[in-house]
Amino acid sequence: MTKAASAAAKDLAAAGVSGVHLAWADNNGIPRSRIVPIAGLANAATRGVGVTSLFAVFDSHDAITFAHTGLATPSGDVRLVPVLERLRRLAGQPALAWAPGRQITADGSPWPYCQRGVLERQVAIAAERGLEFRAGYELEFAVAPAGSPGIVGSPGHPGPAYSPHALVPLDGFIASLLHDFAANGLDLGQLHAEYGLAQLELSLPATDPVSAADDQLLARQTIHAAAHAHGLVVSFAPMVGLGTAGNGWHLHTSVRRKGRNLLAGDGVPGGDGAAYLAGLLRDLPALTAVTAPSVPSTLRMRPGYFAGAYAFWGVENREAPLRYVPGSDLLGDAHANVELKTSDASANPYLALAAVLAAGMAGIEDALVAPEPIGTDPGGWTEGDRESRGVVRLPENPAAQDAALLASPRVAGALGNELLGAFRAVRASDAAWAADRSTEEVIAAHLWRY
């Protein structure tokens, strides 16, 4: 490892790189990092960089909660170690490189609060069961001129939604995104003006789950730097204003056994593919507590906004929180996947994927049977119609999310007792902060956190 790190550092230094971001995401989905000088990369790869263990109990507003007994004092330190195989030079910040970090204890053993380690554990469990997962993100974000207090009142593009005309004022920014994504080793599926106010969306092609989470963090860094270079700021926040569509980070997953996509089917999945989808549906309220965990997340998940307000699944139904995307003669069976819409930037990407994998694998293990898909919007149904189809409202507040998380041994178990305790403490701290504030204040406070 030392030899590889030294060689990488030498090459980067020759290219003008002075330092390396060692990045991770906390339990609020907020990226954190430490920069090490390029000459210190080899030492960091061997010994790590010291960081406080309390990052696991930072809330969304940088307050530290001591409500979790495992991290109840200011004492403690862990080591942040770069994952060298993911080391990238940042095209938009040419003096810096970037690598995701793995958190370990001072003696080098696994640390139970390391979110990347939680996902790696689920991937290993999947491999033991002969399963292989693919995952990819669609990222929505809003654009504004630098210095703007918000998106409403100073949108970064005038629309119309999905129009090429909307992107003309952002031409330099778009060009930088296309260039920097390629230079940073990120594949880009597509990019367009989205439905929300000054909103853009881009997609990252599917890859293995850990790489998908790494790519999500690197994509954020890339987008923020490109925006800054063109006098812009971007917000990935779940809500940017009342009365407008929020930002989702739609999570697409598929599962394979011996190379065969289990979600492939004749219009709908069958067998283990249907059981995987049924597992996600069974645990959807608990999943949402991890994949859309912030107070603004619950504001985003409203009926009629393609954000997933009720627990159901549908075939290509964009109002469904679980949207099944079938393969076709043109696209092939490998294209079949499930999109989770109740996902946003306030979720830690490693924990979000770990929870999804755990819930889906449990569905396969339990041989669950999926209910019939729904092709309309249950938000327009009567309560009696929803009750007859077993369609319930997803958690609408932090207390309901916490109860749903505790009610699922599968999702809670995937996090592990230690990290679950820290995660719940952080969510409770956020909820207490928001309790005496208006909706507008809550949205404004989260707008630039991601």
Side-chain angles (χ1 to χ4, degrees):
M1 182 179 292
T2 302
K3 185 176 181 180
S6 296
K10 182 178 179 180
D11 290 343
L12 289 169
V17 172
S18 301
V20 181
H21 273 292
L22 310 186
W24 77 101
D26 70 8
N27 285 328
N28 315 287
I30 296 173
R32 311 284 184 178
S33 79
R34 292 291 174 89
I35 294 177
V36 297
I38 194 65
L41 178 61
N43 185 62
T46 303
R47 298 182 177 181
V49 175
V51 297
T52 175
S53 57
L54 294 177
F55 276 117
V57 287
F58 268 53
D59 71 13
S60 296
H61 313 285
D62 290 345
I64 299 170
T65 173
F66 292 103
H68 171 54
T69 55
L71 296 170
T73 76
S75 301
D77 206 48
V78 295
R79 310 300 292 179
L80 181 67
V81 179
V83 181
L84 288 180
E85 58 265 31
R86 299 309 313 273
L87 180 66
R88 300 285 187 273
R89 184 184 185 185
L90 295 172
Q93 299 172 271
L96 293 171
W98 177 97
R102 180 180 286 111
Q103 300 164 75
I104 61 175
T105 67
D107 64 5
S109 59
W111 192 48
Y113 300 93
C114 177
Q115 297 91 351
R116 198 175 196 271
V118 169
L119 176 55
E120 290 171 336
R121 184 166 65 246
Q122 289 302 314
V123 171
I125 291 171
E128 291 171 359
R129 298 177 181 178
L131 300 175
E132 178 185 355
F133 285 89
R134 305 283 286 174
Y137 272 97
E138 294 175 345
L139 312 183
E140 292 178 340
F141 55 96
V143 185
S148 299
I151 306 298
V152 178
S154 55
H157 76 70
Y162 311 108
S163 170
H165 304 157
L167 300 183
V168 171
L170 301 178
D171 190 62
F173 174 49
I174 300 301
S176 290
L177 284 181
L178 294 171
H179 172 272
D180 293 355
F181 264 66
N184 289 354
L186 288 169
D187 291 332
L188 183 63
Q190 54 82 37
L191 166 68
H192 64 272
E194 247 294 339
Y195 184 75
L197 180 66
Q199 191 177 58
L200 304 181
E201 180 183 271
L202 57 82
S203 63
L204 302 175
T207 182
D208 69 274
V210 177
S211 294
D214 289 343
D215 288 349
Q216 192 237 54
L217 285 185
L218 179 55
R220 291 189 189 185
Q221 186 80 16
T222 303
I223 294 166
H224 276 300
H228 176 76
H230 292 278
L232 301 168
V233 288
V234 298
S235 174
F236 298 110
M239 288 289 287
V240 301
L242 292 173
T244 186
N247 293 316
W249 282 28
H250 305 155
L251 177 53
H252 292 256
T253 59
S254 62
V255 56
R256 289 162 169 74
R257 181 184 289 118
K258 296 181 179 179
R260 184 176 70 87
N261 187 354
L262 300 181
L263 288 168
D266 186 14
V268 293
D272 284 346
Y276 172 74
L277 193 152
L280 300 183
L281 183 60
R282 174 176 63 181
D283 279 324
L284 189 57
L287 284 178
T288 299
V290 177
T291 62
S294 68
V295 177
S297 298
T298 60
L299 300 174
R300 183 182 78 88
M301 293 184 291
R302 301 159 289 171
Y305 281 84
F306 289 3
Y310 293 92
F312 71 101
W313 77 282
V315 179
E316 293 287 21
N317 184 347
R318 284 176 167 76
E319 191 64 34
L322 291 172
R323 170 181 166 240
Y324 174 63
V325 184
S328 68
D329 290 341
L330 175 63
L331 299 173
D333 286 346
H335 180 74
N337 68 86
V338 177
E339 177 190 44
L340 175 67
K341 285 186 171 290
T342 51
S343 170
D344 62 49
S346 67
N348 180 290
Y350 303 98
L351 296 186
L353 274 161
V356 167
L357 266 58
M361 283 192 291
I364 294 174
E365 287 290 302
D366 295 340
L368 296 186
V369 177
E372 289 297 312
I374 293 173
T376 59
D377 178 7
W381 297 359
T382 67
E383 284 292 340
D385 289 339
R386 285 193 288 267
E387 184 176 353
S388 68
R389 293 290 298 272
V391 175
V392 299
R393 189 75 159 85
L394 289 171
E396 298 183 71
N397 55 64
Q401 286 193 323
D402 185 62
L405 180 56
L406 288 180
S408 170
R410 295 160 295 275
V411 176
L415 270 58
N417 289 335
E418 295 93 341
L419 198 146
L420 175 65
F423 184 86
R424 293 184 63 220
V426 167
R427 302 277 66 79
S429 182
D430 272 11
W433 177 93
D436 297 324
R437 289 174 167 84
S438 69
T439 301
E440 291 84 357
E441 288 176 306
V442 170
I443 292 173
H446 288 80
L447 190 59
W448 308 115
R449 301 303 290 163
Y450 313 105

